[in-house]
Amino acid sequence: MSLYNHVANKEDLLDGMVDLVFGEVELPTPGDDWRRAMRQRAISMRQVLSRHRWAIGLMESRSKPEPATLRHHNAVLGCLREGGLSLTLTAHAVSVLDSYIYGFALQEKTLPFNTPDETAALAESLMSGFGDGEYPYLTEIATAHVMRPGYAYGDEFEFGLDLVLNGLQQAAA
């Protein structure tokens, strides 16, 4: 209870915790190439969210953002605007990038496996219940992609991120 000598209530505590998380994310600096900066920011955000999995549902839910959160959002918006994106495309870019980053982090957090070995074991277990030819496309992706040595679901992040960034770059052109 002595914690409440420092914060007014639970909401203030959550605001401060979220702010600390935002403070760990690598920010773009003025003059950075927007595409490269947004890619690095996305990778940094995913790394931070993997350390603070509890924060995934809270990051954008706070109604009183603290200084690190405001600095983060301002730096992202500034990088996109100074990079030549229109105001409307900047709004779209932030929405699609954050949706992708948070969505991937949430999905990654809830997957029932963590390592390539656990992934392959789960795929094998699931497939053992399939009848011959029952789910051909699930079998194909499991055997030819997921169960290959070294496969890690997290590696899908940067591929998807580049698709998003390519689309934004095309829209900006």
Side-chain angles (χ1 to χ4, degrees):
M1 297 312 295
S2 66
L3 178 62
Y4 290 108
N5 290 327
H6 304 283
V7 294
N9 54 41
K10 178 182 173 185
E11 294 305 308
D12 283 351
L13 179 63
L14 291 173
D15 290 341
M17 291 167 61
V18 165
D19 203 54
L20 288 172
V21 173
F22 268 112
E24 291 182 28
V25 178
E26 184 179 327
L27 296 180
T29 55
D32 282 352
D33 170 72
W34 75 264
R35 190 182 191 289
R36 187 181 53 73
M38 290 303 104
R39 189 175 198 284
Q40 186 52 45
R41 177 247 179 190
I43 291 167
S44 176
M45 177 68 81
R46 179 171 165 249
Q47 290 168 344
V48 169
L49 289 174
S50 73
R51 289 192 302 271
H52 304 289
R53 294 183 182 274
W54 56 268
I56 292 171
L58 291 174
M59 297 294 285
E60 300 299 331
S61 72
R62 310 314 306 152
S63 61
K64 290 184 352 189
E66 302 268 333
T69 303
L70 295 170
R71 272 192 303 278
H72 172 91
H73 292 322
N74 191 65
V76 169
L77 293 168
C79 180
L80 293 169
R81 291 293 286 138
E82 290 174 15
L85 277 69
S86 70
L87 182 61
T88 301
L89 187 54
T90 294
H92 295 324
V94 169
S95 178
V96 74
L97 283 166
D98 284 356
S99 294
Y100 178 72
I101 297 163
Y102 297 153
F104 194 94
L106 179 61
Q107 186 171 12
E108 196 170 35
K109 169 187 166 182
T110 60
L111 290 172
F113 52 81
N114 292 311
T115 67
D117 290 340
E118 289 175 354
T119 306
L122 179 61
E124 281 184 46
S125 173
L126 290 172
M127 288 183 359
S128 69
F130 295 177
D132 286 343
E134 188 173 7
Y135 300 106
Y137 299 110
L138 286 173
T139 300
E140 176 187 39
I141 199 157
T143 58
H145 188 69
V146 173
M147 294 173 65
R148 75 176 196 264
Y151 173 80
Y153 175 74
D155 293 344
E156 302 290 348
F157 180 76
E158 290 187 37
F159 181 83
L161 177 60
D162 287 337
L163 287 176
V164 170
L165 291 169
N166 289 342
L168 289 170
Q169 190 167 28
Q170 186 176 5

